[in-house]
Amino acid sequence: MPTMKLSRALSAATASYGAYALARPSHLPDALGSQAGDREGLELLSQSYGVRDLAVSAAGVFGSPRVVKAAMAIRIAADLGDCALLAARTEGDVRRKVMGVTLGWAGLNAVALLVDRKA
């Protein structure tokens, strides 16, 4: 039975981000270069990312291999959704940053899941 080591490690890293997003929700509007009127909504979005990422990551760190696979699939889908939604609302360098981060994490999680499934 696979141990899912890479998937569990990435889940732990995502949990770290979730805790950071809850502790410092201003990081998201700062990274997006938001307007003053958008800050409150983006901070709330950051906190919702934190809650989501902690919940999914808990399953990814502590679950059975089957649960870890499901958590990874959810994580990948969430990153792709974040990319689509945030890229549609940003432009230029900010859009490239959003796409790089979200697609990068989706890709890392996909690779980890594939490697773990073959182990």
Side-chain angles (χ1 to χ4, degrees):
M1 179 165 263
T3 60
M4 309 298 289
K5 286 182 184 180
L6 289 176
S7 295
R8 290 180 196 279
L10 281 176
S11 291
T14 299
S16 296
Y17 171 74
Y20 177 75
L22 286 171
R24 189 167 177 265
S26 62
H27 84 282
L28 186 60
D30 291 347
L32 296 176
S34 70
Q35 303 296 320
D38 296 332
R39 286 194 73 81
E40 187 176 336
L42 288 170
E43 287 182 5
L44 180 60
L45 179 61
S46 177
Q47 291 171 321
S48 71
Y49 285 168
V51 170
R52 175 192 75 189
D53 287 352
L54 284 173
V56 174
S57 295
V61 171
F62 301 112
S64 68
R66 186 177 200 180
V67 171
V68 173
K69 289 176 190 175
M72 293 299 283
I74 292 166
R75 173 81 257 136
I76 293 163
D79 285 333
L80 294 175
D82 294 347
C83 180
L85 293 172
L86 291 174
R89 297 288 192 143
T90 54
E91 298 176 348
D93 288 341
V94 172
R95 178 181 286 160
R96 283 187 283 282
K97 185 185 337 181
V98 162
M99 293 180 74
V101 169
T102 55
L103 293 175
W105 276 103
L108 282 172
N109 281 293
V111 168
L113 182 57
L114 289 172
V115 169
D116 283 345
R117 291 176 107 174
K118 292 182 184 226

